[in-house]
Amino acid sequence: MWSDNPGQRVTKLAAAAALVAGLASPLPALADTAAPNCNAPQDLIRLANPLPRVAKKLSTGQPITVVAIGSSSTAGAGASSPTSNYPSRLAIELQQHFPKMSISVLNRGVGGEEIADMLERFDSAVIAANPDLVLWQLGTNSVIRGHRLGDHGALIRAGIAKIRAAGADVVLIDPQFAPKVIAKPDAEAMVALISATAKREDVDLFRRFEVMRHWRDVDHLAFETFVSPDGLHMNDWSYACMAKGLGNAIAEAAQRPVMSATALRHVMP
């Protein structure tokens, strides 16, 4: 957990761009000769549903607020600095997709939290920010601590209901594919539970677990390439790569044509 208060950190896109001035540009750095390419199949990163609230803000040119809530991998454990965590890198990615828009990415990650802990601060950390999009990273700490899945599905649904009541779009983010996670017997079950809940509630899911498994099993990257020395958290490269994929997914979903019910009646027999 970073020494600054993540609940108060607001990453403005313009500020984020200035903050990294003089450093290697974020995307070319991923293609450096010492680093592997940042790749993920489109079917792994594509969001199942469009993002209507974000799309509306894009169409009207209004400022967009994104809230990233989660535990240590949202706060940025494993990154070399706060500017290298995934919300900070995502701010830069979104600026590149929408250079004329004013978009804020708020980092509400708190290390060590489980789903119930996050729900206790949803009103103050998420809803109070009047978000247009909420990115909810969840599930890892329950797996690491060996907690039974139990009522996790109900807790996730309660969080989704709060986000929906606020009128925001939601994207769930499942656990990381890292040695200390996959060693736990319930890791795959937690990933499956989050996926099933997202499908049942008809909300989007960014499949971080499968993206990282692809790096290992298909791209044949060593864990040391994308996992920090603690064997649990992501590192600068993988946070940047995750942000790149998530940024692409958000941009595509927010600009995806949405057929109205009237249009559907005309095209369906």
Coordinates of all heavy atoms in Angstrom, one line a residue, residues 21-62:
A21 N 6.4 13.0 -18.4 CA 7.2 13.7 -19.4 C 8.7 13.5 -19.0 O 9.1 13.6 -17.9 CB 6.9 15.2 -19.4
G22 N 9.5 13.3 -20.0 CA 10.9 13.1 -19.8 C 11.2 11.6 -19.6 O 12.4 11.3 -19.6
L23 N 10.2 10.8 -19.3 CA 10.5 9.4 -19.2 C 10.2 8.7 -20.5 O 9.7 9.3 -21.4 CB 9.5 8.8 -18.1 CG 9.7 9.4 -16.7 CD1 8.6 8.7 -15.8 CD2 11.1 9.2 -16.2
A24 N 10.5 7.4 -20.6 CA 10.2 6.7 -21.8 C 8.7 6.7 -22.0 O 8.0 6.5 -21.1 CB 10.7 5.2 -21.7
S25 N 8.2 6.9 -23.2 CA 6.8 7.0 -23.4 C 6.2 5.6 -23.1 O 6.8 4.6 -23.4 CB 6.5 7.3 -24.9 OG 7.1 6.4 -25.8
P26 N 5.0 5.6 -22.6 CA 4.4 4.4 -22.0 C 4.3 3.2 -22.9 O 4.6 2.1 -22.6 CB 3.1 4.8 -21.4 CG 2.8 6.1 -22.1 CD 4.1 6.7 -22.4
L27 N 3.8 3.5 -24.1 CA 3.6 2.3 -25.0 C 4.9 1.9 -25.7 O 5.1 0.7 -25.8 CB 2.5 2.7 -26.1 CG 1.1 2.9 -25.5 CD1 0.1 3.1 -26.5 CD2 0.7 1.7 -24.6
P28 N 5.7 2.8 -26.3 CA 7.0 2.3 -26.9 C 7.8 1.5 -25.9 O 8.5 0.6 -26.2 CB 7.6 3.6 -27.3 CG 6.5 4.5 -27.6 CD 5.5 4.2 -26.6
A29 N 7.7 1.9 -24.6 CA 8.5 1.2 -23.6 C 8.2 -0.3 -23.6 O 9.1 -1.1 -23.3 CB 8.3 1.8 -22.2
L30 N 6.9 -0.7 -23.9 CA 6.6 -2.1 -23.9 C 7.2 -2.8 -25.1 O 7.3 -4.0 -25.0 CB 5.0 -2.2 -24.0 CG 4.3 -1.6 -22.9 CD1 2.8 -1.7 -23.1 CD2 4.7 -2.2 -21.5
A31 N 7.6 -2.1 -26.1 CA 8.2 -2.7 -27.3 C 9.7 -2.7 -27.2 O 10.4 -3.0 -28.2 CB 7.7 -2.0 -28.5
D32 N 10.3 -2.2 -26.1 CA 11.7 -2.1 -25.9 C 12.4 -3.5 -26.2 O 11.7 -4.6 -25.9 CB 12.1 -1.7 -24.5 CG 13.5 -1.4 -24.3 OD1 14.2 -2.4 -24.0 OD2 14.0 -0.2 -24.6
T33 N 13.6 -3.5 -26.7 CA 14.2 -4.8 -27.0 C 14.4 -5.7 -25.8 O 14.5 -6.9 -25.9 CB 15.6 -4.6 -27.6 OG1 16.4 -3.7 -26.7 CG2 15.5 -3.9 -29.0
A34 N 14.4 -5.1 -24.6 CA 14.6 -5.9 -23.4 C 13.2 -6.4 -22.8 O 13.2 -7.1 -21.9 CB 15.3 -5.0 -22.3
A35 N 12.1 -5.9 -23.4 CA 10.8 -6.3 -22.9 C 10.0 -7.0 -24.0 O 10.2 -6.7 -25.2 CB 10.0 -5.1 -22.5
P36 N 9.2 -8.0 -23.6 CA 8.4 -8.7 -24.6 C 7.3 -7.8 -25.1 O 6.9 -6.8 -24.5 CB 7.8 -9.9 -23.8 CG 7.8 -9.4 -22.4 CD 9.0 -8.5 -22.3
N37 N 6.7 -8.2 -26.3 CA 5.5 -7.4 -26.8 C 4.3 -7.6 -25.8 O 4.2 -8.6 -25.2 CB 5.2 -7.9 -28.2 CG 6.2 -7.6 -29.2 OD1 6.8 -6.5 -29.1 ND2 6.4 -8.4 -30.2
C38 N 3.5 -6.6 -25.8 CA 2.3 -6.6 -24.9 C 1.2 -7.0 -25.8 O 0.6 -6.2 -26.5 CB 2.1 -5.2 -24.3 SG 0.6 -5.1 -23.4
N39 N 0.9 -8.3 -25.8 CA -0.2 -8.8 -26.7 C -1.3 -9.5 -25.9 O -1.0 -10.2 -24.9 CB 0.4 -9.8 -27.7 CG 1.3 -9.1 -28.7 OD1 1.0 -8.0 -29.2 ND2 2.4 -9.7 -29.0
A40 N -2.5 -9.5 -26.3 CA -3.6 -10.3 -25.8 C -4.6 -10.4 -26.9 O -4.9 -9.4 -27.6 CB -4.2 -9.6 -24.6
P41 N -5.1 -11.6 -27.1 CA -6.1 -11.8 -28.2 C -7.3 -10.9 -27.9 O -7.7 -10.7 -26.8 CB -6.5 -13.3 -28.1 CG -5.3 -13.9 -27.4 CD -4.7 -12.9 -26.5
Q42 N -7.9 -10.4 -29.0 CA -9.1 -9.5 -28.8 C -10.2 -10.2 -28.1 O -10.9 -9.6 -27.3 CB -9.6 -9.1 -30.2 CG -10.8 -8.2 -30.2 CD -10.5 -6.8 -29.6 OE1 -9.3 -6.4 -29.5 NE2 -11.5 -6.1 -29.2
D43 N -10.4 -11.5 -28.2 CA -11.5 -12.2 -27.6 C -11.3 -12.3 -26.0 O -12.2 -12.5 -25.3 CB -11.7 -13.6 -28.1 CG -10.5 -14.6 -27.9 OD1 -9.4 -14.1 -27.9 OD2 -10.8 -15.8 -27.7
L44 N -10.0 -12.1 -25.6 CA -9.8 -12.1 -24.2 C -10.0 -10.8 -23.5 O -10.4 -10.7 -22.4 CB -8.3 -12.5 -23.9 CG -8.0 -14.0 -24.0 CD1 -6.5 -14.2 -23.6 CD2 -8.9 -14.9 -23.1
I45 N -9.8 -9.7 -24.2 CA -9.9 -8.4 -23.6 C -11.3 -7.7 -24.0 O -11.7 -6.7 -23.3 CB -8.8 -7.4 -24.0 CG1 -8.8 -7.1 -25.5 CG2 -7.5 -8.0 -23.6 CD1 -7.8 -6.1 -25.9
R46 N -12.0 -8.1 -25.0 CA -13.2 -7.5 -25.4 C -14.3 -7.6 -24.3 O -14.5 -8.7 -23.8 CB -13.7 -8.1 -26.7 CG -14.9 -7.3 -27.3 CD -15.3 -7.9 -28.7 NE -16.3 -7.1 -29.4 CZ -17.6 -7.2 -29.2 NH1 -18.1 -8.0 -28.3 NH2 -18.4 -6.4 -29.9
L47 N -14.9 -6.5 -24.0 CA -16.0 -6.5 -23.0 C -17.3 -7.0 -23.7 O -17.6 -6.6 -24.8 CB -16.2 -5.1 -22.4 CG -14.9 -4.5 -21.7 CD1 -15.2 -3.1 -21.3 CD2 -14.5 -5.4 -20.6
A48 N -18.1 -7.7 -23.0 CA -19.3 -8.3 -23.5 C -20.3 -7.3 -23.8 O -21.1 -7.5 -24.8 CB -19.8 -9.4 -22.5
N49 N -20.4 -6.2 -23.1 CA -21.5 -5.3 -23.2 C -20.9 -3.9 -23.5 O -19.8 -3.6 -23.1 CB -22.3 -5.2 -21.9 CG -22.9 -6.5 -21.5 OD1 -23.6 -7.1 -22.3 ND2 -22.6 -6.9 -20.3
P50 N -21.7 -3.0 -24.2 CA -21.3 -1.7 -24.4 C -21.3 -0.9 -23.1 O -21.8 -1.4 -22.1 CB -22.3 -1.1 -25.4 CG -23.5 -2.0 -25.2 CD -23.0 -3.3 -24.8
L51 N -20.8 0.3 -23.1 CA -20.7 1.1 -21.9 C -21.6 2.4 -22.1 O -21.0 3.4 -22.5 CB -19.3 1.5 -21.5 CG -18.3 0.4 -21.3 CD1 -16.9 0.8 -21.1 CD2 -18.7 -0.4 -20.0
P52 N -22.9 2.3 -21.9 CA -23.8 3.4 -22.3 C -23.5 4.7 -21.6 O -23.7 5.8 -22.2 CB -25.2 2.8 -22.0 CG -24.9 1.8 -21.0 CD -23.6 1.2 -21.3
R53 N -23.2 4.7 -20.3 CA -23.0 6.0 -19.6 C -21.7 6.7 -20.2 O -21.7 7.9 -20.4 CB -22.8 5.7 -18.1 CG -22.4 6.9 -17.3 CD -23.5 7.8 -17.0 NE -23.1 8.8 -15.9 CZ -23.7 8.9 -14.7 NH1 -24.7 8.1 -14.4 NH2 -23.2 9.8 -13.9
V54 N -20.6 5.9 -20.4 CA -19.4 6.5 -20.9 C -19.7 7.0 -22.4 O -19.3 8.1 -22.8 CB -18.3 5.5 -20.9 CG1 -17.0 6.1 -21.6 CG2 -17.9 5.1 -19.5
A55 N -20.4 6.2 -23.1 CA -20.8 6.6 -24.5 C -21.5 7.9 -24.6 O -21.3 8.7 -25.4 CB -21.6 5.5 -25.2
K56 N -22.5 8.1 -23.6 CA -23.3 9.3 -23.6 C -22.4 10.5 -23.3 O -22.5 11.5 -23.9 CB -24.4 9.2 -22.5 CG -25.3 10.4 -22.5 CD -26.4 10.2 -21.4 CE -27.3 11.4 -21.4 NZ -28.3 11.3 -20.4
K57 N -21.4 10.3 -22.4 CA -20.5 11.4 -22.0 C -19.6 11.7 -23.2 O -19.3 12.9 -23.5 CB -19.7 11.1 -20.8 CG -20.5 11.0 -19.5 CD -21.1 12.4 -19.2 CE -21.7 12.5 -17.8 NZ -20.7 12.5 -16.7
L58 N -19.2 10.7 -23.9 CA -18.3 10.9 -25.1 C -19.1 11.7 -26.2 O -18.6 12.6 -26.8 CB -17.8 9.6 -25.7 CG -16.8 8.9 -24.9 CD1 -16.5 7.5 -25.5 CD2 -15.5 9.7 -24.8
S59 N -20.4 11.4 -26.3 CA -21.1 12.0 -27.4 C -21.5 13.5 -27.1 O -21.6 14.3 -28.0 CB -22.5 11.2 -27.6 OG -23.3 11.4 -26.5
T60 N -21.5 13.8 -25.8 CA -21.8 15.2 -25.4 C -20.6 16.0 -25.0 O -20.7 17.2 -24.7 CB -22.8 15.2 -24.3 OG1 -22.3 14.5 -23.2 CG2 -24.1 14.5 -24.7
G61 N -19.5 15.3 -25.0 CA -18.2 16.0 -24.6 C -18.1 16.4 -23.2 O -17.3 17.2 -22.8
Q62 N -18.9 15.7 -22.3 CA -18.9 16.1 -20.9 C -17.7 15.3 -20.2 O -17.3 14.2 -20.7 CB -20.2 15.7 -20.2 CG -21.4 16.4 -20.7 CD -22.7 15.9 -20.0 OE1 -22.9 16.2 -18.9 NE2 -23.5 15.2 -20.8

